[in-house]
Amino acid sequence: MRSIKRPRKQVRRYKSLLFPGIAVLAVFLFWAAFAPAEKGEQREFEKDGLRLEITCVDHVGGFLLNFNTSQKINEPYDTYYVYPGAKVTVLEAPPTENGMARWEFRVLGSGTLDREPLELKEGMDPVRLLEEGSFQIYDLERGLAVLEFDVSESGGDHWK
């Protein structure tokens, strides 16, 4: 005996792009909710041919001074107040006439160098400032500090 029921029509699920679109949106929203947001802004520094890109900058200020013994004057240099996780990328760093690096990245602590200085060259990997403290870019040719970084998590009032 034959069935009187009509054969069922197969259901075609996800015929449109609605379901994949919703899935991609859900993944993006999940990523956006848990991805760490970068504090601060991105700035560029340029002096005597050295060009740097610095991220996570709270503000620039607190100018420090180098004493120029030949001219007997104080020369100011910038201080960048940044959050931990800041990245310093060397965009341009022309070497000295003999081909040696002209600038060094130094880690400062209690008035002395804590670690070996790092020579700054074009094409090098970015330097990450992960820990709190003071760091300095030093011009070997002139024998002076060019730039200082003050890294601190508590962004704000005590810096300004």
Side-chain angles (χ1 to χ4, degrees):
M1 181 169 186
R2 257 178 144 196
S3 171
I4 306 176
K5 291 184 183 177
R6 263 170 68 198
R8 268 189 172 179
K9 197 175 189 182
Q10 288 185 350
V11 178
R12 295 191 176 202
R13 295 184 184 185
Y14 318 120
K15 198 172 187 179
S16 71
L17 294 176
L18 182 62
F19 179 75
I22 291 172
V24 168
L25 180 63
V27 168
F28 174 75
L29 291 175
F30 181 79
W31 173 79
F34 293 104
E38 194 172 272
K39 294 181 184 179
E41 58 186 326
Q42 183 174 324
R43 296 263 181 111
E44 238 183 67
F45 170 81
E46 185 171 354
K47 185 171 185 172
D48 297 330
L50 175 66
R51 275 190 44 216
L52 303 173
E53 182 181 85
I54 305 152
T55 62
C56 300
V57 176
D58 183 53
H59 74 280
V60 179
F63 300 99
L64 300 173
L65 300 172
N66 282 321
F67 183 69
N68 186 333
T69 54
S70 62
Q71 297 176 354
K72 305 227 189 269
I73 59 169
N74 287 321
E75 295 178 348
Y77 63 94
D78 292 340
T79 302
Y80 278 67
Y81 297 90
V82 298
Y83 295 103
K87 185 170 58 172
V88 179
T89 307
V90 179
L91 302 175
E92 290 179 29
T96 59
E97 292 176 6
N98 61 2
M100 301 296 290
R102 179 176 171 186
W103 292 277
E104 283 183 344
F105 182 84
R106 296 180 172 185
V107 179
L108 303 176
S110 66
T112 60
L113 293 176
D114 282 349
R115 297 187 201 137
E116 285 294 315
L118 175 67
E119 294 179 345
L120 297 180
K121 299 175 185 174
E122 288 181 41
M124 67 182 285
D125 290 336
V127 177
R128 303 279 306 186
L129 305 175
L130 299 174
E131 61 212 31
E132 293 188 4
S134 294
F135 305 89
Q136 192 176 69
I137 304 291
Y138 192 77
D139 186 347
L140 296 170
E141 197 171 83
R142 295 178 53 210
L144 299 171
V146 176
L147 176 66
E148 188 160 321
F149 300 101
D150 187 5
V151 182
S152 179
E153 181 62 45
S154 55
D157 300 334
H158 78 278
W159 280 343
K160 297 178 183 176

